[in-house]
Amino acid sequence: MNNNIRVRFAPSPTGHLHIGGLRTALFNYLFAKKNNGKLILRIDDTDIARSQKEYEDLIVSDIKWFDIKYDEFYRQSERKDIYEKYLKILKEKDYIYECFCTEEELLRAKELSINLKKPYIYNGRCLHLSGAEKESLRKKLAEAGLVPSIRLNMLKLGCEQVEFEDMVHGKVVFNVKLLGDFVLKTSDNRFTYNFASIVDDIDLGITHIIRGEDHISNTPRQILLCRALGAGSPMFAHISLLYGKDGKLMSKRDFNANLKHYKNEGYLPQAVLNYLAITGNTFVVNDERLSDEIFTSFDEMAHYFDIKRAKSSGAVFSEEKLKFVNEKWLQQLNTDDLIYAIKEKFILTDYINVSDINSINISSSINNTNTCIENNDTNLENNKNNKDTKSSNIDLENNKADLAIKKNNTNIKNINAEIFDVIDYAEKEYGKERLRCIIDFLKNEYKTVKEIILELDNVFLYKGKYNYFDKGIAELLFENLKETTGNEPETSEFNEILIKNAIQKISKENKKNIKDIYENLRMALTGKTNGPSILKIAVLLGKERVLSKLTI
Ligand code: GLU
């Protein structure tokens, strides 16, 4: 094991971290973990015009949300002295020169290349200026508040081509002539990405640069800078970008490129990372237990991680596969850890936009939830009074439609409130032990935390009544279940067998179809016509709640 391995994740705070960026961070994290190395988080904020502290904060909080741990933190804007020091080394070696070209001149030259269908290469004009010419141009720039920019003198470096062994792509060769003398420091006194980035990599002792393959064209420039500075260059791994199912590159504009989407949809951070790690064949695991490539921890993921196995062709992102991975993670996660994750990751996190939640605080969110429930109750009461609730398919369909509208409204109104209070509220309602039983049940029935939260709210916390389509059956259920004793799950007489027996008895004595009885019970308890075991739900709700839902 080499404990000198140092990698870095270097986002620019010019926007949100997106799913591809998260994948790059993950690969760096796994690589460091596997090699007992260090992960450095470096904020590339040299572009002052586009960088924003707000984005930096969001990126850092996203990285934390996904439990990616870094060992050191740097901000390029705080390292200007270091860049000056390295620039001085290049000056002493005579590898750089001043460039007086204005932005307009450069733009014109670029346009000309486009028209001629030739790649733009800086013509090196300023390399041959006389002292007097330089002074006059310097004055002109100064009038505009600018200084000469600084370029690297490629001729001086004397290399014709740059060759490197990429850990993903294999041997890569670039013709130096096509690179041109590129800028290290701009006329508005800013260090460019290529210069600041490689200086940091040298200065911070980075051994491996793992990043998106959109940066591969920067690599020859950075390798040349390493040579010019007399430093060895790090190893490079340019990982494939993520593509949608339509074959198009996932861009920041795609809704599922935004990490907020995964938080809002209730994907566990570990599952998202597990999925990101296995897209693009980074794990080909020869281990039966891991045939589905679902890991149990970062350590295990890191153990099997091998960047050299990453496919160089694009990785195709599939949300269905992610959902499958999430489902597996929900099932394998210890229930207490899941409760903790729901509280920590999905309640009161900063991803909930303040404007979305209308500044609801915990107590008022509970009040809001109750208000919605009361309104819904009123609607249901009106429904019941205005309609003959005799068992009929028409009624069933109407009820379903009513419920669909009601549920949709409830969900829209309550979704943020649910995210806010659901675990604390449920713990107050059911106690710690029974809440654990409920979550244990739900985590094996649903695929996302969002589905669990909605089910918890709509079934276990909803205090209003759902409708049913046969009043007679509801009455019979009420009468028969009332006779039972106990109100605790499984440990008492209010258990699955007892409810099942009661249903059989009702069916036999009243000539009612068993299926109808189950359907009515389900409608009364969940407001739906299908879902997980209704006997289990009834037991978990407890006798008192079941009876109250069956009260006419
Ligand atoms: N700041 C660059 C970006 O966000 C990172 C480039 C690199 O890793 O060298 O794309």
Side-chain angles (χ1 to χ4, degrees):
M1 242 191 276
N2 179 351
N3 55 10
N4 293 322
I5 297 271
R6 287 170 67 81
V7 292
R8 88 304 193 265
F9 175 56
S12 303
T14 52
H16 293 274
L17 182 63
H18 62 94
I19 192 88
L22 179 66
R23 185 162 176 260
T24 304
L26 170 69
F27 277 34
N28 277 286
Y29 182 48
L30 293 177
F31 191 82
K33 220 173 182 20
K34 180 170 182 123
N35 295 292
N36 200 19
K38 296 267 183 278
L39 171 63
I40 285 143
L41 175 60
R42 188 185 80 206
I43 302 294
D44 282 2
D45 57 352
T46 51
D47 186 348
I48 337 161
R50 291 174 60 229
S51 298
Q52 283 182 36
K53 179 71 172 65
E54 188 197 338
Y55 285 127
E56 176 192 311
D57 294 344
L58 288 171
I59 291 169
V60 172
S61 88
D62 275 340
I63 287 174
K64 290 189 174 152
W65 196 86
F66 282 96
D67 288 330
I68 292 179
K69 300 202 170 50
Y70 50 87
D71 302 285
E72 294 167 32
F73 177 87
Y74 301 94
R75 233 178 245 122
Q76 287 194 323
S77 56
E78 290 164 359
R79 295 173 57 81
K80 286 184 190 141
D81 291 352
I82 294 164
Y83 309 140
E84 288 295 356
K85 193 178 90 187
Y86 280 83
L87 197 65
K88 208 165 146 228
I89 298 174
L90 293 179
K91 192 169 179 210
E92 279 161 11
K93 292 185 172 183
D94 203 18
Y95 280 148
I96 53 175
Y97 65 93
E98 288 179 316
C99 171
F100 299 86
C101 296
T102 62
E103 221 170 283
E104 294 77 50
E105 286 167 333
L106 294 171
L107 209 66
R108 241 178 287 134
K110 281 178 192 162
E111 275 167 9
L112 194 66
S113 312
I114 293 171
N115 290 341
L116 295 171
K117 295 196 168 61
K118 281 188 173 165
Y120 167 73
I121 303 165
Y122 177 65
N123 61 12
R125 182 192 80 158
C126 295
L127 189 57
H128 311 290
L129 296 174
S130 70
E133 281 171 321
K134 283 186 194 172
E135 281 327 297
S136 124
L137 288 167
R138 190 185 311 279
K139 269 195 200 138
K140 257 194 173 160
L141 282 177
E143 279 164 23
L146 300 170
V147 291
S149 57
I150 310 288
R151 289 183 185 267
L152 186 70
N153 187 342
M154 296 291 220
L155 260 178
K156 218 33 196 283
L157 283 176
C159 310
E160 284 191 0
Q161 61 178 36
V162 175
E163 193 180 304
F164 64 96
E165 194 64 31
D166 189 282
M167 287 190 284
V168 176
H169 294 263
K171 187 168 149 182
V172 183
V173 184
F174 278 94
N175 181 347
V176 170
K177 271 203 198 117
L178 297 176
L179 301 175
D181 293 348
F182 58 95
V183 175
L184 308 184
K185 196 177 180 191
T186 62
S187 56
D188 59 357
N189 248 322
R190 222 173 13 87
F191 289 99
T192 58
Y193 155 73
N194 270 315
F195 182 64
S197 179
I198 201 66
V199 164
D200 278 334
D201 294 332
I202 296 169
D203 193 69
L204 298 172
I206 300 301
T207 56
H208 296 75
I209 294 181
I210 302 169
R211 60 185 172 193
E213 67 183 6
D214 48 335
H215 283 290
I216 204 159
S217 61
N218 290 320
T219 306
R221 293 181 174 89
Q222 295 174 355
I223 291 177
L224 284 171
L225 279 168
C226 286
R227 284 187 200 161
L229 287 164
S233 59
M235 294 283 289
F236 290 89
H238 290 93
I239 58 175
S240 63
L241 304 179
L242 288 177
Y243 291 80
K245 270 190 170 159
D246 55 1
K248 286 195 194 130
L249 197 64
M250 273 175 96
S251 85
K252 285 190 182 179
R253 260 161 280 138
D254 290 326
F255 76 97
N256 55 356
N258 192 332
L259 298 180
K260 202 172 169 181
H261 168 73
Y262 302 92
K263 298 171 177 180
N264 285 343
E265 286 306 307
Y267 291 106
L268 290 166
Q270 304 95 313
V272 176
L273 296 181
N274 189 150
Y275 173 67
L276 285 178
I278 62 177
T279 51
N281 274 3
T282 326
F283 300 94
V284 181
V285 181
N286 237 348
D287 181 327
E288 220 172 274
R289 194 198 70 68
L290 283 169
S291 58
D292 54 4
E293 296 187 309
I294 306 292
F295 302 96
T296 50
S297 66
F298 272 131
D299 284 338
E300 190 180 52
M301 221 187 279
H303 173 76
Y304 287 104
F305 178 77
D306 184 357
I307 189 110
K308 290 194 183 124
R309 287 208 201 112
K311 266 199 297 192
S312 56
S313 56
V316 178
F317 187 88
S318 147
E319 195 152 343
E320 290 86 74
K321 181 80 201 284
L322 168 62
K323 220 171 214 178
F324 167 80
V325 174
N326 200 64
E327 187 182 4
K328 296 279 173 199
W329 263 94
L330 277 175
Q331 287 163 7
Q332 75 180 9
L333 207 61
N334 164 300
T335 303
D336 284 334
D337 289 347
L338 176 58
I339 292 174
Y340 179 78
I342 297 174
K343 276 174 92 96
E344 284 295 301
K345 306 284 186 186
F346 296 93
I347 300 175
L348 290 174
T349 52
D350 55 5
Y351 70 85
I352 304 170
N353 194 317
V354 180
S355 61
D356 289 345
I357 57 169
N358 296 322
S359 313
I360 307 169
N361 58 34
I362 294 183
S363 58
S364 70
S365 78
I366 293 172
N367 292 341
N368 279 358
T369 310
N370 290 341
T371 316
C372 289
I373 290 168
E374 277 157 24
N375 289 342
N376 289 327
D377 276 353
T378 321
N379 291 341
L380 277 179
E381 280 310 315
N382 290 342
N383 261 347
K384 277 198 274 172
N385 295 341
N386 296 343
K387 259 200 279 173
D388 178 8
T389 46
K390 257 191 269 158
S391 171
S392 81
N393 282 340
I394 296 168
D395 267 351
L396 177 59
E397 287 313 310
N398 285 344
N399 281 342
K400 275 198 245 173
D402 285 346
L403 279 168
I405 296 163
K406 187 186 85 66
K407 297 296 285 175
N408 279 341
N409 289 339
T410 311
N411 293 351
I412 292 162
K413 281 184 203 155
N414 289 350
I415 180 71
N416 291 311
E418 283 158 2
I419 289 171
F420 254 62
D421 62 54
V422 74
I423 290 289
D424 275 351
Y425 189 40
E427 206 171 292
K428 281 187 199 112
E429 284 289 309
Y430 286 89
K432 228 181 164 70
E433 259 321 299
R434 181 145 10 152
L435 174 63
R436 191 183 284 132
C437 296
I438 294 170
I439 298 292
D440 193 51
F441 166 70
L442 294 176
K443 75 174 191 177
N444 286 301
E445 297 293 341
Y446 291 97
K447 291 186 175 152
T448 64
V449 171
K450 181 179 172 178
E451 287 171 4
I452 292 177
I453 289 176
L454 289 176
E455 196 67 0
L456 188 59
D457 185 50
N458 292 331
V459 175
F460 294 93
L461 298 177
Y462 179 52
K463 288 197 174 153
K465 268 172 244 161
Y466 288 115
N467 218 344
Y468 27 75
F469 57 91
D470 189 323
K471 197 175 161 190
I473 290 182
E475 260 168 21
L476 288 167
L477 276 165
F478 181 89
E479 288 309 322
N480 278 272
L481 294 175
K482 199 175 72 174
E483 298 310 312
T484 62
T485 53
N487 195 31
E488 291 303 310
E490 302 295 354
T491 54
S492 73
E493 289 167 52
F494 195 72
N495 58 33
E496 284 183 52
I497 297 174
L498 178 138
I499 304 168
K500 212 172 167 176
N501 289 343
I503 290 173
Q504 262 156 9
K505 186 167 162 253
I506 295 170
S507 162
K508 220 169 159 187
E509 289 176 3
N510 304 279
K511 301 214 166 18
K512 296 277 183 195
N513 184 323
I514 290 258
K515 206 168 147 254
D516 280 350
I517 306 174
Y518 274 103
E519 231 170 38
N520 275 281
L521 182 62
R522 183 180 294 286
M523 283 288 283
L525 302 188
T526 70
K528 287 182 285 198
T529 49
N530 54 31
S533 163
I534 196 59
L535 294 179
K536 285 202 167 75
I537 290 175
V539 171
L540 286 166
L541 277 166
K543 182 175 156 187
E544 216 175 281
R545 283 184 189 82
V546 170
L547 291 182
S548 103
K549 303 251 175 196
L550 289 166
T551 319
I552 291 133

